Amino acid sequence: MSATLAYNPDTDDKRPLAEVRITKLKECPMLTEGRMDDYVFQQWTIACHRYQKHSGKKGSEIVLFVADGMLEPCFVAWYHANQSRIDSMTLDQYLQELQKFALPRRWQSRVQDTILESYQENTSFADWVVVLQNLNARLENTNSEHALSETSLKAHLESHMRPDLRRKVDYTKIPDGELADWITEVMELDEELAEERARTQALIDANNAERAGKRKPLAERISEPPSRTPSGLAPGMVTPRIKLAKLTDDEKRLLTEHKGCTRCHTFYCNHPGNPEACPMKISNSWPNPKTTKTLTLAMALAAKPKAVAGLAYAETASNEEIGDEDTDDSYTYANTSSSMLSAPHMTVTMEVMGPATHSSPLSVCAILDNGCPSTVISDEFATKLGLQRFRLPKSEDNLISLTEDPLTCNEYIRLEVTVGKGAWKSGVFQAKVNVRLPVPLVLGIPFLSAKKLVLDIGDNTAVDKRTGFDIVNLKHTLTPTSPTPPTQTHMCTKTSDSARRRKCITPPHREEDASPSQIMALIRERIETLSLEEELKRKDEERKLKYADRFPSELPKTLDDVPEHIYHRIRLKDPSLIVNC
């Protein structure tokens, strides 16, 4: 038997559905190629009966025409294999034979389950009834024993309609009669409930809008001080309140570049980039709007700390003199070695992965620069990694060189770096792409601040405060926020009580031991860890209890009802694929 004749409607689920095409009422309908389900079979049945009604053909000739309208190869082969028998059938007999051959097994029970499991929910009663009646009509047209009677369908509608509609139907007491009359009455009640719900929702929206208009935003209620009636004014009269103007983009950029605070509007403060440590944040206050001025570059330069150059008195004639030779008092700068006049950048060797690097990371010598306001990567190195690029906002294109020439950046990327073959990972961060950057990667203030890195130029260290790991020298050190508790020596003395307990005496800490703040930091970290573990354990038990039916203790012992025609395929994404924005 060929593959065309070996037709099994229970396993052939990959092809698209067939279509019923009708050009004119008197012309024979066409059934295109594709698989057939109960809906397509219903459309084909309606089209065949309509053609019998309008074509004027005899009842014994209808099957000869409609059978030729089937274009599906398996249906055509089935017809030609049984042509003499099928041509002698009536239209209803032909459709009954086609149903047995084309439709999958137990389709009638599946349609019945769909009807019995349906609820009205948020749809209107009229739309819900039309869907159920259409499904039940498919069963009735095939004389199926699974079709619901009018009594059964009415009982299902009553038990599965919305609760508020069910109460209204019970209070109304609709008289018994035909199912169509009962449905009409219930549809009118459902429309009344829909109008009531719409009116109620309109009143709620209007009330919310009125309350929102009277109530001031939270920021205004927090920032504005309570109004007081100044002396000399009549009761009930207050002076107009002056609001604090918002910072512009230029002012925010100046505060960022000059280590300022966006809360207190102060340049070169002792808490740059940390608004939580601002005194005004702690005291819940804001700058006085009457005395606040627009922030300018001149104000930032004036607030910048001045560098003081040390001078030393020339005690010997061998020192190099600075100044005019004619002066009597000779002052020179202290004898300074060349290492004090210049020093190399602090660099760290990192490994970087990208879509174009395949399985081996690239090693790069990155500069740690706590004077650069941005993290920057060269265009050549970003292309070499094959990283996806994103459009940079115009407000972030704000880099300039020492010669005050702009360094144009139109794009940015996301990447992650590691140090010491995975001993330290940075996590994903963003970096601006610059074409003329002479080095591959510059890790500026945003990177150092986000990763909690503390630079010590003298000791050539860059320590992660969270872990105490030095990414330059690849070793762990003691840090203030993650201290290592010192080893304590306990001296125990015996007591002569009945329990013979030991009383331990701990000597005081030495100066190099951890401070109390460090010990409290360790205790707090341990408490937070234990609290998080308890929270995760609680959520795990809740999820297991909530979805207990999804994780049975054992699999079913029988596989008779398990379908065998369902296949699954998992297609993994290509990790080296570069998506163009």
Side-chain angles (χ1 to χ4, degrees):
M1 182 179 291
S2 64
T4 304
L5 298 179
Y7 177 69
N8 187 356
D10 290 332
T11 59
D12 190 13
D13 289 335
K14 298 180 180 180
R15 298 180 303 158
L17 291 173
E19 296 181 4
V20 178
R21 296 181 179 176
I22 304 174
T23 55
K24 296 181 181 179
L25 293 177
K26 293 184 178 182
E27 293 184 359
C28 182
M30 306 294 292
L31 181 64
T32 63
E33 296 185 14
R35 60 185 176 90
M36 177 179 288
D37 63 355
D38 54 302
Y39 175 75
V40 177
F41 181 78
Q42 183 188 29
Q43 298 300 318
W44 178 245
T45 302
I46 295 173
C48 291
H49 283 290
R50 186 180 297 162
Y51 174 67
Q52 182 183 20
K53 178 180 178 181
H54 295 280
S55 64
K57 305 290 183 182
K58 297 181 180 179
S60 59
E61 300 177 351
I62 291 298
V63 177
L64 297 173
F65 290 93
V66 298
D68 290 336
M70 299 186 300
L71 303 181
E72 171 59 32
C74 62
F75 297 162
V76 174
W78 166 75
Y79 170 66
H80 287 298
N82 306 274
Q83 184 173 3
S84 58
R85 184 175 62 87
I86 295 176
D87 290 343
S88 61
M89 296 180 180
T90 62
L91 181 60
D92 293 335
Q93 293 174 346
Y94 155 75
L95 293 174
Q96 189 70 19
E97 289 289 328
L98 180 62
Q99 169 197 338
K100 295 178 180 179
F101 174 74
L103 294 182
R105 294 176 298 175
R106 300 190 299 273
W107 72 270
Q108 298 171 342
S109 61
R110 296 174 185 172
V111 174
Q112 185 186 46
D113 292 342
T114 303
I115 296 175
L116 297 178
E117 293 174 358
S118 65
Y119 287 83
Q120 180 185 356
E121 296 181 349
N122 295 327
T123 58
S124 64
F125 183 79
D127 295 339
W128 181 48
V129 168
V130 169
V131 173
L132 297 187
Q133 287 180 331
N134 188 19
L135 293 175
N136 196 45
R138 300 180 190 177
L139 302 175
E140 292 177 346
N141 294 336
T142 57
N143 298 323
S144 173
E145 60 182 6
H146 295 81
L148 300 182
S149 63
E150 290 189 357
T151 304
S152 300
L153 184 60
K154 179 181 177 181
H156 175 75
L157 294 175
E158 289 179 340
S159 60
H160 290 71
M161 63 176 58
R162 292 169 59 98
D164 54 349
L165 180 59
R166 176 63 184 273
R167 290 192 296 269
K168 195 172 185 64
V169 171
D170 294 339
Y171 294 152
T172 306
K173 297 181 180 180
I174 302 175
D176 297 334
E178 297 293 335
L179 178 62
D181 298 336
W182 181 84
I183 291 176
T184 303
E185 294 290 339
V186 177
M187 288 171 55
E188 294 178 357
L189 297 177
D190 185 65
E191 292 176 357
E192 294 177 2
L193 287 176
E195 293 177 358
E196 293 178 2
R197 288 193 295 267
R199 287 194 298 268
T200 304
Q201 187 62 37
L203 293 175
I204 294 174
D205 295 340
N207 185 34
N208 293 338
E210 183 180 0
R211 294 180 60 185
K214 293 181 179 180
R215 189 175 182 84
K216 296 182 179 179
L218 180 62
E220 295 183 6
R221 288 185 278 116
I222 292 177
S223 59
E224 293 181 357
S227 59
R228 298 179 180 178
T229 304
S231 58
L233 295 177
M237 297 178 59
V238 295
T239 56
R241 185 174 299 171
I242 302 176
K243 296 182 179 180
L244 180 65
K246 295 183 178 180
L247 291 174
T248 62
D249 294 340
D250 294 337
E251 291 177 327
K252 293 179 181 178
R253 180 174 56 83
L254 283 174
L255 289 171
T256 302
E257 294 176 354
H258 296 274
K259 302 179 181 180
C261 176
T262 56
R263 182 64 180 258
C264 60
H265 301 182
T266 304
F267 293 104
Y268 295 99
C269 57
N270 57 357
H271 53 278
N274 186 15
E276 299 297 331
C278 179
M280 287 193 174
K281 175 69 175 180
I282 298 174
S283 61
N284 193 21
S285 61
W286 292 87
N288 189 353
K290 296 181 180 180
T291 59
T292 302
K293 299 180 181 180
T294 303
L295 302 180
T296 60
L297 179 60
M299 298 170 62
L301 296 177
K304 184 175 182 180
K306 301 297 187 296
V308 180
L311 298 177
Y313 182 73
E315 297 181 354
T316 62
S318 61
N319 292 337
E320 181 182 0
E321 295 184 357
I322 303 299
D324 297 335
E325 296 180 356
D326 297 338
T327 56
D328 296 336
D329 297 332
S330 178
Y331 285 87
T332 66
Y333 287 105
N335 188 11
T336 309
S337 62
S338 60
S339 62
M340 297 298 294
L341 298 178
S342 63
H345 286 287
M346 180 177 289
T347 60
V348 58
T349 302
M350 295 181 169
E351 296 84 26
V352 190
M353 288 285 292
T357 60
H358 303 291
S359 59
S360 58
L362 295 181
S363 180
V364 60
C365 183
I367 296 178
L368 302 178
D369 190 355
N370 58 359
C372 181
S374 300
T375 300
V376 192
I377 188 174
S378 66
D379 178 77
E380 179 182 0
F381 188 58
T383 304
K384 190 175 182 180
L385 294 174
L387 297 173
Q388 182 181 358
R389 306 194 181 196
F390 305 91
R391 185 177 300 277
L392 185 71
K394 294 183 179 180
S395 59
E396 291 294 337
D397 186 12
N398 50 16
L399 296 181
I400 59 175
S401 64
L402 295 177
T403 59
E404 297 186 358
D405 294 331
L407 301 176
T408 304
C409 298
N410 298 323
E411 298 173 324
Y412 74 95
I413 52 89
R414 297 191 180 102
L415 74 159
E416 181 180 16
V417 296
T418 59
V419 175
K421 298 182 179 180
W424 182 86
K425 293 184 179 181
S426 66
V428 180
F429 63 94
Q430 300 174 350
K432 300 179 182 179
V433 180
N434 184 261
V435 178
R436 297 187 302 167
L437 192 68
V439 294
L441 183 61
V442 177
L443 303 177
I445 296 176
F447 178 86
L448 301 176
S449 176
K451 310 308 174 187
K452 308 297 183 183
L453 293 176
V454 179
L455 305 185
D456 192 330
I457 307 299
D459 294 339
N460 193 30
T461 60
V463 181
D464 187 345
K465 294 196 301 182
R466 300 167 298 182
T467 61
F469 185 76
D470 184 3
I471 65 174
V472 176
N473 302 300
L474 303 182
K475 64 180 182 179
H476 286 275
T477 60
L478 184 64
T479 59
T481 58
S482 180
T484 302
T487 304
Q488 299 178 357
T489 304
H490 297 275
M491 297 181 297
C492 301
T493 59
K494 297 182 178 180
T495 58
S496 57
D497 55 347
S498 59
R500 301 188 61 82
R501 295 173 297 179
R502 294 179 179 270
K503 181 178 181 182
C504 296
I505 303 175
T506 303
H509 296 305
R510 299 186 301 272
E511 295 181 355
E512 60 271 21
D513 292 339
S515 62
S517 60
Q518 297 173 348
I519 298 175
M520 292 302 297
L522 275 177
I523 295 175
R524 178 180 179 180
E525 181 181 0
R526 181 58 179 168
I527 292 175
E528 292 177 351
T529 302
L530 295 176
S531 176
L532 179 59
E533 291 178 355
E534 293 180 359
E535 180 68 16
L536 292 177
K537 185 181 297 182
R538 182 184 62 81
K539 290 185 178 181
D540 180 62
E541 294 176 355
E542 290 179 357
R543 294 298 186 275
K544 289 180 179 178
L545 182 61
K546 182 177 180 180
Y547 302 102
D549 57 337
R550 302 296 192 271
F551 304 95
S553 58
E554 60 180 3
L555 295 176
K557 297 181 180 179
T558 177
L559 300 178
D560 296 339
D561 297 334
V562 177
E564 300 178 354
H565 63 281
I566 300 176
Y567 300 92
H568 299 275
R569 180 177 66 178
I570 299 176
R571 179 176 296 174
L572 301 178
K573 293 184 178 179
D574 188 1
S576 61
L577 180 63
I578 301 176
V579 181
N580 296 325
C581 296

